[in-house]
Amino acid sequence: MTVPAFSPPVWGLIFAVSATLVLWLVSLRPRDVSIVDMFWGPGIAGVVDIAAWLGHAGGPRASAVLFLVNLWALRLAGHIWARHKGEDHRYADMRTRFGSSWWWISLPQVFLLQAILIWFVPASLVTAVLFSHRPMGWLDYLGIGMAAGGLMFEALADFQLAAFRADPANQRKVMQRGLWSWSRHPNYFGEAVMWWGYFAIGFAASHMWWLILSPLLVTFLLLQVSGVALMEHKIEHRRPGYGEYQRRVSTFLPWPPRDS
């Protein structure tokens, strides 16, 4: 019996679904759905790596894409693992709401949904490595610069916040130093810039306009679903002074703070 000759994107989907199914099974015993978040970066990198391997990708475009996405994945996974202190409150709230049914509801609502996103979000990257044989142009270099700059911006913002939180004197205080003095969510801004850079690379390689759906989806998720909207919800009650911080500092785009 021969192995079906699926295309690289199909193998990427098989990988994403299979891995999240395993993670779902692993999550049942410790009752911790949060472990799926650690797989977000490595999962996306895995989809791109599979496409590059099966598509025999080579050349500077593929090398740049693979270096950046794997570096991002390792950093993000390490960052999420380091701050992991049990099940995230989002999932804990769902566990309370769904009660004894949560163990199986979490499979489609969290794990399989994550698998689909892990497969679709890196569409620009998969396209870039599959079309890696085409000559590079100015849009490739712009995209690489945006992706690298966004990655560094996000990493610096996370580092600044981690250092702030590590100081016991800052408990319940509002972080408003460094990048956080110009944006309330500079890490999410950096993430968005990175994905728009990846779109530029993918479009430069393929001229496929539909790839814009990837950064649009990421930006929407960051602003309205799992990022800004979620973090801003009720945070004023947990951190005194956040209301004043909201009035002075831009929500997303870095901008000089307004006078008090």
Side-chain angles (χ1 to χ4, degrees), residues 12 50 68-69 96 102 114 158 171 209 229 250:
I50 288 171
L68 287 171
V69 73
T96 300
W102 176 240
Q114 191 97 311
D158 283 339
Q171 187 176 11
W209 277 107
S250 168

Side-chain angles (χ1 to χ4, degrees), residues 56-80:
H56 306 289
R61 178 185 288 115
S63 297
V65 163
L66 292 172
F67 173 76
L68 287 171
V69 73
N70 282 282
L71 178 63
W72 165 80
L74 288 172
R75 190 209 74 83
L76 184 61
H79 173 70
I80 295 175

Side-chain angles (χ1 to χ4, degrees), residues 226-240:
S226 62
V228 173
L230 185 65
M231 295 298 295
E232 296 269 314
H233 182 58
K234 296 182 179 179
I235 195 171
E236 187 174 355
H237 301 292
R238 300 199 311 268
R239 300 205 178 257

